[in-house]
Amino acid sequence: MKEWTLMFNSSSDVNAWLERSEKRSEFFSHETHQPFLVRVIATESVNWTSWLEFIFTFVQEVYVPRYSKRVLEDVYCLSEEEAEQVLPFVGPLAENVKGLHSQLSESLYERLVRYVGCHSPRNLDMALLYEHLFIDFSDWDEVVGYAIDEWQYELFFQERMHQLRQFIQFKEPQIKRVDVYDGKELMFYDQAGHSLTPPTQPKMMDGMMVSPLTQALLNLVPEKANIYTDSGGTHELFQVMNVFEERVELCPLDDFPHKMNLTS
């Protein structure tokens, strides 16, 4: 068996660790007679990498939101409600800090590895780890700033989606059903198999680029649109499903009903 000792500075952090440890069969954690001190026993299957990854998961789930919320409220002066809305955007950015720009040269995981490598690996002071990862990392405020940008764009995106939904909601359907063939290029047919040629030129609408597929269906205003595709969850499909909602159904490309009418 392998053993580690973790030193926390609050009972809430101890409980947060124990709660996560209970979900992992390869780890057994229990609080010792000393306050805020946790003894971790692991099976032989746990190696150094998996141990670090477990600590990093705790950092992502507990420390990242805690410190980021503080930055959002104290540095960027967001309300508590606004900060809560931004926090989901911080996590994904925290996983790829170096990808934000060239000046951020060290990822959060790399900082964790460096800290553990410079201290006793069997006895970790989690409060000092928290300071090293966030308080001593001046660029973290900038990471949180990028999350605010992502949140603001999402608000902008949802507002534009709402406007487009309102547009089609109050417009009479022009055609009962459109079958879209999403192969090498987009092809549009009515339910009888007749080819349709709606405008598909991408269009900038109130600061947001409307995709060719969305633009075509906005021109056709179908009662229902079956999109035959193998593309999966692309941005273009996500956009059109956001706008047309229950009117759109995704179908396998091989099930396209008008194969005989496809033009090359």
Side-chain angles (χ1 to χ4, degrees), residues 132-186:
H132 172 75
L133 293 180
F134 301 104
I135 298 174
D136 296 339
F137 185 32
S138 59
D139 288 330
W140 191 256
D141 291 5
E142 191 170 357
V143 174
V144 175
Y146 278 104
I148 294 175
D149 291 342
E150 295 280 331
W151 167 65
Q152 289 175 333
Y153 179 78
E154 178 65 18
L155 293 179
F156 167 79
F157 176 80
Q158 291 301 335
E159 176 61 25
R160 294 298 176 266
M161 291 296 101
H162 176 71
Q163 291 174 355
L164 292 175
R165 284 193 290 267
Q166 291 291 101
F167 170 77
I168 64 170
Q169 181 180 347
F170 295 106
K171 191 169 182 179
E172 197 70 27
Q174 305 296 304
I175 186 171
K176 185 170 183 62
R177 193 185 85 203
V178 172
D179 294 326
V180 182
Y181 184 82
D182 183 18
K184 291 183 179 179
E185 58 183 287
L186 291 170

Side-chain angles (χ1 to χ4, degrees), residues 10 90 94 113:
S10 72
V90 178
V113 172

Side-chain angles (χ1 to χ4, degrees), residues 48-223:
W48 183 238
T49 300
S50 57
W51 169 237
L52 285 175
E53 288 175 350
F54 186 39
I55 297 175
F56 187 62
T57 299
F58 177 82
V59 167
Q60 288 178 302
E61 295 179 357
V62 179
Y63 288 167
V64 167
R66 175 186 300 166
Y67 189 74
S68 299
K69 185 177 180 182
R70 171 180 159 184
V71 171
L72 288 165
E73 295 178 356
D74 295 349
V75 177
Y76 291 100
C77 301
L78 269 61
S79 68
E80 183 176 359
E81 182 181 356
E82 290 171 330
E84 291 292 344
Q85 293 176 28
V86 176
L87 285 177
F89 295 90
V90 178
L93 293 179
E95 295 178 10
N96 187 31
V97 167
K98 293 196 294 185
L100 297 177
H101 70 68
S102 58
Q103 298 302 313
L104 297 171
S105 58
E106 193 175 36
S107 71
L108 197 61
Y109 183 76
E110 288 169 339
R111 289 180 65 80
L112 167 65
V113 172
R114 183 157 62 87
Y115 175 85
V116 174
C118 294
H119 295 76
S120 172
R122 295 292 176 182
N123 299 279
L124 284 179
D125 188 321
M126 298 297 283
L128 291 179
L129 173 63
Y130 178 82
E131 288 184 14
H132 172 75
L133 293 180
F134 301 104
I135 298 174
D136 296 339
F137 185 32
S138 59
D139 288 330
W140 191 256
D141 291 5
E142 191 170 357
V143 174
V144 175
Y146 278 104
I148 294 175
D149 291 342
E150 295 280 331
W151 167 65
Q152 289 175 333
Y153 179 78
E154 178 65 18
L155 293 179
F156 167 79
F157 176 80
Q158 291 301 335
E159 176 61 25
R160 294 298 176 266
M161 291 296 101
H162 176 71
Q163 291 174 355
L164 292 175
R165 284 193 290 267
Q166 291 291 101
F167 170 77
I168 64 170
Q169 181 180 347
F170 295 106
K171 191 169 182 179
E172 197 70 27
Q174 305 296 304
I175 186 171
K176 185 170 183 62
R177 193 185 85 203
V178 172
D179 294 326
V180 182
Y181 184 82
D182 183 18
K184 291 183 179 179
E185 58 183 287
L186 291 170
M187 298 182 186
F188 300 84
Y189 296 83
D190 64 17
Q191 62 184 18
H194 300 126
S195 179
L196 304 170
T197 55
T200 58
Q201 195 68 21
K203 182 179 179 182
M204 187 68 72
M205 185 177 293
D206 294 329
M208 186 189 75
M209 183 63 71
V210 176
S211 72
L213 178 57
T214 302
Q215 184 62 40
L217 294 181
L218 286 172
N219 280 283
L220 293 169
V221 194
E223 188 175 313

Side-chain angles (χ1 to χ4, degrees), residues 1-5 39-42 121-122:
M1 305 297 283
K2 302 174 182 179
E3 294 188 18
W4 293 275
T5 300
R39 184 184 179 209
V40 183
I41 303 174
R122 295 292 176 182

